[in-house]
Amino acid sequence: MITAAFEALDENLSAALSSAFAEPALLRPRVCTQYTERSTDPDRPEAMTYGIFSAGPTQEDLRGQARGGQMSGTTKLSTAAAEFWIAKPQIDQLPWLPITGDAVVLTARSGQPIYAISRVATSDLGDLTLILVREDNLS
């Protein structure tokens, strides 16, 4: 009973977030092999979906060498993180699940930026978070 109530709450919240912030994206399947350029995967068709894109600055710590109680210091590295979250209802409509190496094209944005999927994170609720890396618009 509690599980069903939580799933219903999650479904309603996901629908509200998607209606307010979701944007269309083209999922472009690709084949990635070592020492070759990524190419279109002939076994999976391109698919349109909706999700929430987020990008922003982050900081990561690079730790120095530690010996006993001594620490030679840390270095802060400023980076940018990009993610695309897809709710379970949109995942259920996809003909295939995105994998590392596939491309995400943000079709509603100026210049239609292309991002490569560097990691796919799943949750127990069936949604996906695609960790992205920006690509040049040459492909």
Side-chain angles (χ1 to χ4, degrees), residues 66-98:
R67 257 188 223 149
Q70 297 178 338
M71 181 67 160
S72 63
T74 61
T75 300
K76 298 260 187 222
L77 179 66
S78 294
T79 62
E83 298 178 349
F84 192 74
W85 176 78
I86 306 173
K88 184 178 179 353
Q90 284 74 36
I91 294 296
D92 292 341
Q93 294 177 7
L94 291 175
W96 45 268
L97 292 177

Side-chain angles (χ1 to χ4, degrees), residues 20 30 34 49 59 65 68 92 95 132:
R30 299 191 293 191
Q34 190 174 15
T49 191
Q59 268 192 354
Q65 294 180 349
D92 292 341
L132 306 174

